[in-house]
């Protein structure tokens, strides 16, 4: 599935999200408008390290971030491995890989638009208070 949000193109593997593609598109539109903070869609999580990282990302609340190191510590892994798994996330936005940042930078983002899209998503979620997510350190 291809969607455009804030002028950025994002591809999601809708085969991993239960429900009708039109329902997911509607939920993504509501998210972009600020009317939705979570998605009502079950995601098929792979039984792999990437799946473990995806579960950790799903646990990050809207408007908050975690570092690659935080998730690595939770999974008894290494931050680089977590970053690589984030880059393999087949359903960005629904599984919020944008909420995972570096200890002193935004880190990377594999979706089209790269770090610019990641920053747009985090800014959207932080609303008028960049300190809410600790994003003030990156501006």
């Amino acid at each position: 599935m291809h969607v455009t949000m804030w002028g950025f193109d994002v591809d999601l593997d809708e085969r991993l999200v239960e429900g009708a593609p039109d329902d997911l598109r509607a939920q993504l539109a509501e998210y972009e408008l600020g009317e939705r903070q979570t998605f009502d869609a079950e995601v098929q999580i792979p039984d792999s390290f990437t799946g473990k990282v995806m579960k950790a990302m799903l646990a990050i609340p809207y408007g908050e971030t975690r570092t690659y190191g935080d998730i690595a510590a939770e999974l008894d892994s290494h931050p680089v491995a977590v970053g690589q798994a984030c880059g393999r996330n087949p359903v960005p936005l629904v599984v919020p890989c944008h909420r995972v940042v570096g200890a002193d930078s935004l880190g990377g983002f594999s979706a089209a638009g790269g770090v610019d899209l990641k920053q747009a998503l985090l800014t959207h979620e932080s609303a008028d208070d960049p300190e809410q997510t600790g994003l003030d350190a990156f501006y």
Side-chain angles (χ1 to χ4, degrees), residues 41-99:
E42 283 292 318
V43 177
Q44 295 176 21
I45 304 292
D47 187 23
S48 64
F49 179 73
T50 297
K52 290 178 184 178
V53 173
M54 289 173 69
K55 284 181 185 177
M57 291 187 290
L58 283 167
I60 303 170
Y62 180 94
E64 294 185 20
T65 59
R66 301 292 182 272
T67 66
Y68 298 104
D70 292 337
I71 293 177
E74 180 182 328
L75 300 177
D76 194 27
S77 184
H78 191 276
V80 171
V82 169
Q84 292 169 339
C86 289
R88 290 188 298 270
N89 176 13
V91 283
L93 305 175
V94 177
V95 175
C97 49
H98 61 278
R99 294 179 189 156

Side-chain angles (χ1 to χ4, degrees), residues 8 68 97-102 105-109 113-123:
F8 295 98
Y68 298 104
C97 49
H98 61 278
R99 294 179 189 156
V100 184
V101 298
S105 72
L106 287 179
F109 197 60
V115 175
D116 290 337
L117 174 56
K118 184 174 190 172
Q119 184 168 337
L121 292 165
L122 292 171
T123 299

Side-chain angles (χ1 to χ4, degrees), residues 11-71:
D11 289 310
L12 299 96
D13 188 346
E14 76 271 11
R15 297 172 300 173
L16 300 177
V17 181
E18 294 182 17
D22 287 343
D23 290 341
L24 181 57
R25 282 186 190 282
Q27 289 183 43
L28 288 165
E30 291 169 356
Y31 170 82
E32 184 177 23
L33 292 171
E35 298 170 355
R36 174 177 290 276
Q37 295 183 354
T38 60
F39 296 95
D40 300 327
E42 283 292 318
V43 177
Q44 295 176 21
I45 304 292
D47 187 23
S48 64
F49 179 73
T50 297
K52 290 178 184 178
V53 173
M54 289 173 69
K55 284 181 185 177
M57 291 187 290
L58 283 167
I60 303 170
Y62 180 94
E64 294 185 20
T65 59
R66 301 292 182 272
T67 66
Y68 298 104
D70 292 337
I71 293 177

